[in-house]
């Protein structure tokens, strides 16, 4: 039976993106305004949340992989306090120039998720803040929801033609409200 899954990017959607740098430690991690509330709304509506995130800072040597897992553990604990469960997380750990199959806009992370979860691509959304998120979601046959946090406002002019998202909102909370209305 198909799961009711929603894919969500991390940096710039769930947490504040360190524009021009990476979130390298828990001390640098800050939730986007309304993000926890939006995630809770999605959970309450029966969505299974799956994170899909590029973490090029590891492959590019800006921070160690252990820092990512420390942030992940603490983020999940904070979200749990707010009644939010994350079903799964898929991270590309390669550098920006690695040419891997998993760095968005490539779809390797989605393919990995599809091997582990059953869902209807045509009824499943990917929420992201970059044109590459919209591109990846569309390549994989998902519906796309673009948010204007993180890189969103800068990337929004790129969203034309084949890169036009199915829906847009100012932030994750507004996207969650639209998806659960």
């Amino acid at each position: 039976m198909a799961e009711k899954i929603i894919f969500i990017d991390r940096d710039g959607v769930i947490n504040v993106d360190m524009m021009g740098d990476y979130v390298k430690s828990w001390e640098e991690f800050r939730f986007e305004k309304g993000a926890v509330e939006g995630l809770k709304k999605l959970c309450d509506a029966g969505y299974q949340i799956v994170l899909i995130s590029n973490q090029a800072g590891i492959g590019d040597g800006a921070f160690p992989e252990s820092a990512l897992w420390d942030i992940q553990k603490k983020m999940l604990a904070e979200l749990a306090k707010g009644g939010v469960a994350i079903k799964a997380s898929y991270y590309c750990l390669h550098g920006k120039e690695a040419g891997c199959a998993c760095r968005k806009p490539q779809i390797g992370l989605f393919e990995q998720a599809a091997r582990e979860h059953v869902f209807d691509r045509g009824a499943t959304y990917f929420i992201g803040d970059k044109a590459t998120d919209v591109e990846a979601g569309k390549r994989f046959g998902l519906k796309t929801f673009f948010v204007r946090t993180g890189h969103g406002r800068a990337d929004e002019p790129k969203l034309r033609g084949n890169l036009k998202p199915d829906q847009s909102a100012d932030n994750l909370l507004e996207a969650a409200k639209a998806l659960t209305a």
Side-chain angles (χ1 to χ4, degrees):
M1 182 197 287
E3 297 176 73
K4 187 176 176 183
I5 284 182
I6 190 156
F7 292 102
I8 303 177
D9 178 46
R10 194 191 83 176
D11 297 335
V13 179
I14 293 174
N15 63 279
V16 175
D17 194 322
M18 306 274 295
M19 306 300 266
D21 198 0
Y22 301 102
V23 176
K24 302 180 288 293
S25 69
W26 179 247
E27 292 71 33
E28 295 177 343
F29 187 97
R30 300 284 179 275
F31 285 106
E32 279 283 354
K33 184 179 178 192
V36 176
E37 186 182 347
L39 291 169
K40 173 83 166 101
K41 188 172 272 302
L42 292 168
C43 285
D44 289 349
Y47 283 100
Q48 300 289 317
I49 297 169
V50 177
L51 302 185
I52 300 282
S53 179
N54 292 340
Q55 293 295 319
I58 294 167
D60 288 340
F63 62 97
E65 185 177 342
S66 60
L68 170 67
W69 300 120
D70 181 62
I71 293 166
Q72 170 85 355
K73 182 177 96 178
K74 291 173 179 168
M75 177 187 71
L76 294 178
E78 282 300 308
L79 289 172
K81 288 178 191 175
V84 175
I86 302 295
K87 172 104 174 154
S89 301
Y90 299 91
Y91 291 108
C92 171
L93 308 181
H94 301 104
K96 288 182 180 172
E97 304 302 322
C100 62
C102 56
R103 180 174 171 77
K104 296 174 293 174
Q106 302 303 320
I107 59 171
L109 295 177
F110 294 100
E111 290 171 337
Q112 183 181 351
R115 288 190 293 272
E116 298 172 14
H117 308 280
V118 178
F119 56 93
D120 176 356
R121 289 186 196 192
T124 301
Y125 274 91
F126 178 41
I127 302 174
D129 68 314
K130 293 183 179 177
T132 53
D133 292 329
V134 173
E135 183 180 349
K138 287 187 172 292
R139 279 183 171 183
F140 195 64
L142 303 174
K143 292 183 178 185
T144 55
F145 210 124
F146 182 77
V147 293
R148 295 179 189 94
T149 49
H151 289 267
R153 296 214 185 277
D155 269 21
E156 194 165 23
K158 300 175 187 176
L159 303 177
R160 295 187 301 270
N162 292 340
L163 276 184
K164 187 168 174 33
D166 293 286
Q167 294 190 57
S168 297
D170 284 338
N171 56 42
L172 181 55
L173 177 56
E174 295 303 315
K177 286 178 180 177
L179 290 170
T180 59

